[in-house]
Amino acid sequence: MPEITYREAMARALREGLTEDENMFIIGEDIGAYGGAYAVTKGFLDEFGPRRIVESPISESGFVGLGTGAAMSGLHPVVEVMTINFTLVAMDQIVNHAAKIRYMSGGQFNVPMIIRTVTGGGAQLAATHSQSLEGWYASVPGLKVVVPATPHDALGLFRSVRQEQDPVMFIEHILLYSTKGEVPDDYFTVPLGRADVKRSGDDFTIVAYSRMVQIALAAADK
């Protein structure tokens, strides 16, 4: 089974989505000519063009709101917010609008929007780039939060997230992009909301998500 990096898995997931779904587009800061702050969308602008890879100004509240409206209108936006810290600028759009519209409209409208963002510390980027706020969002009614730990899970979970009709925050840890893992060539999905046993044992259970899965496995190996 081939090994790829977490970054490559995410690029593959996004490329699949853009190729298979004509209503999908990506909007965010530096995702085009620069190739993304974490090089995930490198080459996408040349491949898909500026109507599918949309460069945004530094205005998270604006382009998250744009994504919400686009999703309500039948499109499938992937809104990239450079770090989860910057989602605070768009908290009202995420929590009070995107997450609530299905309920507030009595089921007349859905918001199939994917908010991609990056969590975690350890990259020497100071406090305002190094917080882990996914727990906040996991408590919001109407919003699902996905935080994959491996390249396999990143690709499989993103495929499942594409089928969701309500907003999902797809959150990637900053220190996982260069990590490698086995990913089958055959098509697969990873279901949402189901725990995955990474390693079986008889003594005790460690429950973890995101990068802590890697740390827990390393501890188990010792």
Side-chain angles (χ1 to χ4, degrees):
M1 191 181 299
E3 276 197 347
I4 62 174
T5 65
Y6 194 100
R7 177 181 289 107
E8 290 168 333
M10 284 310 308
R12 180 173 164 185
L14 292 168
R15 184 173 281 109
E16 272 185 10
L18 291 165
T19 301
E20 297 171 4
D21 183 356
E22 63 181 10
N23 289 321
M24 180 172 282
F25 69 95
I26 307 175
I27 183 170
E29 299 161 1
D30 291 335
I31 64 169
Y34 186 70
Y38 309 98
V40 173
T41 55
K42 186 176 182 180
F44 277 37
L45 181 61
D46 291 337
E47 186 173 351
F48 296 102
R51 289 180 63 85
R52 309 288 301 284
I53 308 299
V54 183
E55 292 271 15
S56 71
I58 303 175
S59 177
E60 287 79 8
S61 61
F63 62 78
V64 173
L66 181 151
T68 302
M72 291 175 66
S73 302
L75 297 179
H76 199 178
V78 178
V79 178
E80 180 174 321
V81 181
M82 194 177 293
T83 84
I84 198 168
N85 310 273
F86 303 159
T87 63
L88 301 185
V89 183
M91 181 75 84
D92 186 48
Q93 284 76 6
I94 297 169
V95 173
N96 289 329
H97 295 276
K100 303 299 189 294
I101 283 171
R102 179 202 279 268
Y103 175 75
M104 290 192 297
S105 69
Q108 296 179 81
F109 292 100
N110 300 88
V111 183
M113 174 172 63
I114 302 168
I115 300 175
R116 275 192 65 235
T117 190
V118 173
T119 190
Q124 299 181 334
L125 293 174
T128 58
H129 290 65
S130 299
Q131 298 172 104
S132 300
L133 307 179
E134 55 273 5
W136 287 6
Y137 290 110
S139 69
V140 174
L143 189 65
K144 292 184 179 180
V145 176
V146 177
V147 195
T150 66
H152 175 276
D153 293 345
L155 178 56
L157 285 167
F158 194 85
R159 286 169 171 166
S160 294
V161 164
R162 283 176 49 200
Q163 307 307 313
E164 293 290 313
Q165 293 302 303
D166 294 301
V168 177
M169 294 194 71
F170 197 93
I171 303 172
E172 303 148 29
H173 196 288
I174 191 171
L175 296 185
L176 289 180
Y177 284 116
S178 61
T179 60
K180 289 186 175 183
E182 292 185 341
V183 178
D185 290 327
D186 294 338
Y187 190 87
F188 69 94
T189 62
V190 175
L192 304 188
R194 185 181 302 170
D196 181 31
V197 178
K198 297 296 186 186
R199 173 172 169 163
S200 297
D202 299 319
D203 298 315
F204 56 90
T205 299
I206 301 175
V207 180
Y209 73 92
S210 189
R211 184 169 177 259
M212 286 306 298
V213 173
Q214 311 290 348
I215 295 172
L217 286 169
D221 287 339
K222 293 186 177 182

